[in-house]
Amino acid sequence: MAQALRRIEIDFVDLFLWLFRTAIIILVIWGTVAKVFFGVGTEYSTAAWIDFTIAGIAQGSLYALIALGYTLVYGVLFMINFAHGEFFMSGTMTATVFVAIPLASAGYLDSNPFMSMLAIMLTAMLVSVGIALLTERVAYRPLRRAPRLVPLITAIGASFFWQYFFRGLYGSAVVPFPNIPIFSGTIEIFGLEILRTRLVVMAASIIMLVGLYFFVMRSKTGKAIRAVAEDKDVAALMGVNVDRTIAITFAVGAAMAGAAGILYGLMFGQTHFFMGFVPGIKAFTAAVLGGIGSIPGAALGGLFLGVIEAVGPPLFLEGLGIPGAHQLKDVIAFTMLVLVLIFRPQGIIGERLAEKKA
Amino acid sequence: MSLLEVSDVHAYYGNIHALKGVSLNVNEGEIVTLIGANGAGKTTTLRSISGLMRPRVGWIKFSGDDLAQFKAHELVRRGVAMVPEGRGIFARLTVAENLDMGAYHRSDRSNIKKEMDRVFELFPRLRERRGQVAGTLSGGEQQMLATGRALMSRPKLLLMDEPSMGLAPILVETIFDIIKEINANGTTILLVEQNAHMALQIAHRGYVLQTGEIVLSDSAEALQANAMVQKAYLGIE
């Protein structure tokens, strides 16, 4: 009797999930069809659609860069580092206040844009790495053997700590990121007008993503990171300093976040003590989407999320007749997160956990 | 002088008293085996020696140095390598990368290359599969890989935790032949085994561990002839 009841319960859950999935798919198809064939909502030119896509790719490559930090740390510690958004913010704000703005007022941003950009970026990366190492040493390392919920909550605490710490340092107002003339305006490639900032963001992200991939797959330190991710005790038996390797993992992720922060400043022209929160959550979504723990997964998840966020609202949300569809891009992002968690927890190219026990 | 000396080691998992005063020693050039049933403390003994656990009481010396001053990752450099329980290969790394990890503390590329060739001579199967992800190897091949990886550091002392576990009998024979060969090439071996029959055939001396205590120690021949060992570990009535 009890067994029969339980079976019925499971069937209801399955039925609900099945309906949920079908409803989402129908809504997306319906919206798309209504938009494309019946012209519901605003009409966009081909150029506008291409622009949406490119904006999405640029935004997505930022997500990808930030997502690397989540994925790397999750890989070695099985912990979601919710303070990662603050590593992103801390480097960016510090570099903006102490390097970018003084350089701008001295006129170096006009005369030496590339050297200045390099200096700004290096400062941001260094500060982010410093904050990450400090957080790891003080807040996470002592809890390495604690149950998994404990470091998770600590991470949320660390996130708040750094937000308000930097709010105290730089104030709660928006600090504008200076305009770099050479990177502003548009450039024509294959007959397409592309914002230069987006081009810079995409190019820099690709270079860093590929660089990181080769660092992890080819270098000795990368090999140690992968070994620690699989089995810390055995890695230690091989002579790997596990604590140091974990710290390096945090540092590498934070360096990527710091660089992404400057690209963010370049693209949106502003920094703020709360700027890490939403990109952080989005990047976490991207990491889960791609398969947390996997570097190509983070890249793919980031790009996918960026594009669907940019193209989704004008395409199927407007097609459904939803007013102000552009403001609902976050809804798309988090609906994606829920869908992935329910239907494909391992992500797009994530591996099954069983493989680890092989 | 003994290469490895373990003296009156007590180790705990929380409140569980896992080792109750274990003392043993391994002389240079020997194969010493530690036999005992499941849960007797064999793995705990090896974990204590390799620094993955700290004994609460007692000391462990290797080549005369107290090991308490070193962390687990500093031992490879001093000449201690381990083939861990359940083989502990890195399933997502390739065979060659696993072997590289064995030589992680070294940076002399040409010697590492030579070492790898030596391992491939010992285990030709690994050469065929060098580019393959280690998780796809069979159990026997994984054991070969774990052993080869430990040899990559050119250890003075090799700690082996149940190399025969989960292997077909014919493979067990092969693995034990190789252990003998490794020893003949000058590596001292501390072999932890449940398969007492095989272990006592290749070992010089042996210790019997029961619920955290050494209850018997003698030469391998004497242990094989011992009535208690025959009854409890060799299945001879």
Side-chain angles (χ1 to χ4, degrees):
Chain A
M1 182 63 196
Q3 228 171 5
L5 265 178
R6 190 172 302 152
R7 191 171 303 148
I8 289 168
E9 241 170 20
I10 289 171
D11 282 347
F12 274 128
V13 171
D14 285 349
L15 188 69
F16 173 77
L17 290 180
W18 188 81
L19 285 175
F20 182 56
R21 178 160 33 176
T22 316
I24 297 267
I25 292 171
I26 288 175
L27 281 177
V28 169
I29 293 175
W30 185 354
T32 310
V33 169
K35 179 84 194 178
V36 175
F37 295 107
F38 301 102
V40 180
T42 330
E43 202 176 310
Y44 299 104
S45 63
T46 316
W49 285 112
I50 292 172
D51 196 50
F52 289 145
T53 312
I54 289 171
I57 294 172
Q59 177 72 60
S61 41
L62 281 188
Y63 291 155
L65 279 183
I66 308 172
L68 287 174
Y70 284 102
T71 248
L72 286 171
V73 166
Y74 184 85
V76 296
L77 288 182
F78 298 106
M79 167 198 156
I80 309 291
N81 173 24
F82 278 115
H84 189 61
E86 271 51 62
F87 300 168
F88 162 86
M89 172 273 291
S90 58
T92 312
M93 285 211 78
T94 309
T96 305
V97 171
F98 287 107
V99 185
I101 291 174
L103 282 181
S105 49
Y108 278 114
L109 279 188
D110 301 334
S111 56
N112 276 321
F114 289 100
M115 287 310 288
S116 318
M117 196 58 194
L118 202 64
I120 297 169
M121 220 169 216
L122 283 179
T123 313
M125 289 164 92
L126 278 178
V127 173
S128 292
V129 167
I131 297 290
L133 290 178
L134 196 65
T135 311
E136 193 274 330
R137 185 69 193 86
V138 174
Y140 300 157
R141 195 180 296 180
L143 301 172
R144 187 98 23 97
R145 288 176 198 285
R148 271 163 66 176
L149 196 56
V150 176
L152 188 78
I153 292 169
T154 308
I156 295 173
S159 166
F160 279 114
F161 175 82
W162 288 122
Q163 265 177 34
Y164 288 95
F165 181 85
F166 282 98
R167 182 189 173 166
L169 269 184
Y170 303 132
S172 54
V174 168
V175 178
F177 188 84
N179 184 34
I180 303 180
I182 195 172
F183 294 139
S184 49
T186 59
I187 190 167
E188 208 182 283
I189 298 177
F190 307 124
L192 296 173
E193 290 277 308
I194 299 177
L195 284 176
R196 286 183 190 207
T197 46
R198 287 182 185 158
L199 206 64
V200 172
V201 168
M202 286 187 271
S205 304
I206 290 169
I207 292 170
M208 279 188 282
L209 284 169
V210 172
L212 184 90
Y213 184 75
F214 280 100
F215 169 73
V216 171
M217 295 313 283
R218 293 273 183 275
S219 76
K220 196 171 172 179
T221 312
K223 226 178 282 171
I225 289 176
R226 285 184 291 145
V228 168
E230 281 204 48
D231 192 326
K232 288 178 195 53
D233 279 353
V234 178
L237 290 175
M238 301 296 123
V240 176
N241 185 338
V242 174
D243 280 341
R244 209 175 66 193
T245 306
I246 290 173
I248 291 173
T249 310
F250 270 91
V252 171
M256 295 289 142
I262 293 306
L263 296 175
Y264 179 97
L266 201 62
M267 205 152 77
F268 298 106
Q270 53 180 335
T271 63
H272 185 244
F273 81 96
F274 202 60
M275 69 183 279
F277 182 73
V278 172
I281 299 276
K282 292 283 183 65
F284 166 64
T285 306
V288 173
L289 211 61
I292 196 152
S294 148
I295 293 171
L300 213 66
L303 285 178
F304 186 66
L305 187 68
V307 171
I308 202 162
E309 258 190 15
V311 177
L315 188 63
F316 47 80
L317 287 190
E318 274 192 18
L320 290 171
I322 295 172
H326 277 284
Q327 287 163 21
L328 292 180
K329 61 177 191 152
D330 291 1
V331 174
I332 293 187
F334 298 122
T335 309
M336 295 286 307
L337 177 63
V338 172
L339 288 177
V340 168
L341 287 177
I342 294 176
F343 296 112
R344 203 178 155 77
Q346 72 270 38
I348 300 173
I349 57 169
E351 54 200 85
R352 278 160 294 130
L353 281 172
E355 200 181 300
K356 290 203 59 174
K357 297 287 169 204
Chain B
M1 193 188 75
S2 308
L3 187 62
L4 177 78
E5 271 181 280
V6 176
S7 170
D8 189 35
V9 162
H10 291 253
Y12 293 77
Y13 290 103
N15 286 325
I16 299 161
H17 198 168
L19 297 183
K20 303 164 185 163
V22 168
S23 300
L24 58 85
N25 65 80
V26 180
N27 298 317
E28 212 158 334
E30 276 185 318
I31 301 180
V32 172
T33 183
L34 188 61
I35 58 180
N38 248 340
K42 307 187 299 289
T43 296
T44 311
T45 308
L46 285 198
R47 285 176 68 87
S48 303
I49 296 169
S50 63
L52 292 175
M53 272 179 83
R54 292 286 169 210
R56 215 178 276 182
V57 181
W59 49 260
I60 300 165
K61 275 184 183 170
F62 178 72
S63 310
D65 295 323
D66 192 339
L67 291 187
Q69 56 184 313
F70 303 117
K71 295 205 172 104
H73 69 262
E74 293 166 328
L75 280 183
V76 195
R77 196 180 297 273
R78 314 196 72 81
V80 184
M82 176 143 124
V83 181
E85 189 187 22
R87 309 186 264 271
I89 59 150
F90 300 114
R92 282 176 289 179
L93 272 58
T94 64
V95 168
E97 284 175 333
N98 266 278
L99 292 175
D100 276 341
M101 285 308 294
Y104 181 78
H105 67 290
R106 299 169 33 174
S107 49
D108 43 342
R109 271 173 189 273
S110 59
N111 279 334
I112 293 174
K113 178 91 186 42
K114 253 184 252 163
E115 221 66 68
M116 200 177 288
D117 284 337
R118 210 189 312 253
V119 169
F120 285 149
E121 256 164 54
L122 213 51
F123 305 104
R125 284 282 272 288
L126 294 183
R127 191 197 298 271
E128 294 164 28
R129 317 212 156 197
R130 59 195 301 174
Q132 204 172 317
V133 173
T136 62
L137 298 181
S138 72
E141 289 162 348
Q142 291 190 4
Q143 186 60 54
M144 293 174 191
L145 178 57
T147 310
R149 183 180 62 180
L151 291 177
M152 288 294 290
S153 67
R154 295 213 104 187
K156 287 184 219 153
L157 174 67
L158 183 60
L159 308 170
M160 301 189 84
D161 199 347
E162 305 228 16
S164 75
M165 191 165 66
L167 296 187
I170 178 128
L171 275 173
V172 175
E173 297 263 1
T174 314
I175 291 284
F176 276 81
D177 282 344
I178 287 168
I179 296 173
K180 245 160 70 177
E181 198 179 326
I182 293 168
N183 177 249
N185 289 337
T187 307
T188 309
I189 294 174
L190 175 58
L191 173 67
V192 155
E193 259 301 340
Q194 272 197 67
N195 188 338
H197 178 72
M198 290 299 295
L200 289 174
Q201 272 181 22
I202 64 163
H204 301 107
R205 291 189 300 118
Y207 292 86
V208 178
L209 196 61
Q210 240 168 41
T211 56
E213 282 168 294
I214 301 271
V215 291
L216 210 57
S217 79
D218 213 329
S219 70
E221 294 82 40
L223 285 177
Q224 275 174 312
N226 182 292
M228 189 276 267
V229 173
Q230 284 189 347
K231 190 161 180 290
Y233 301 103
L234 300 175
I236 305 169
E237 287 292 331

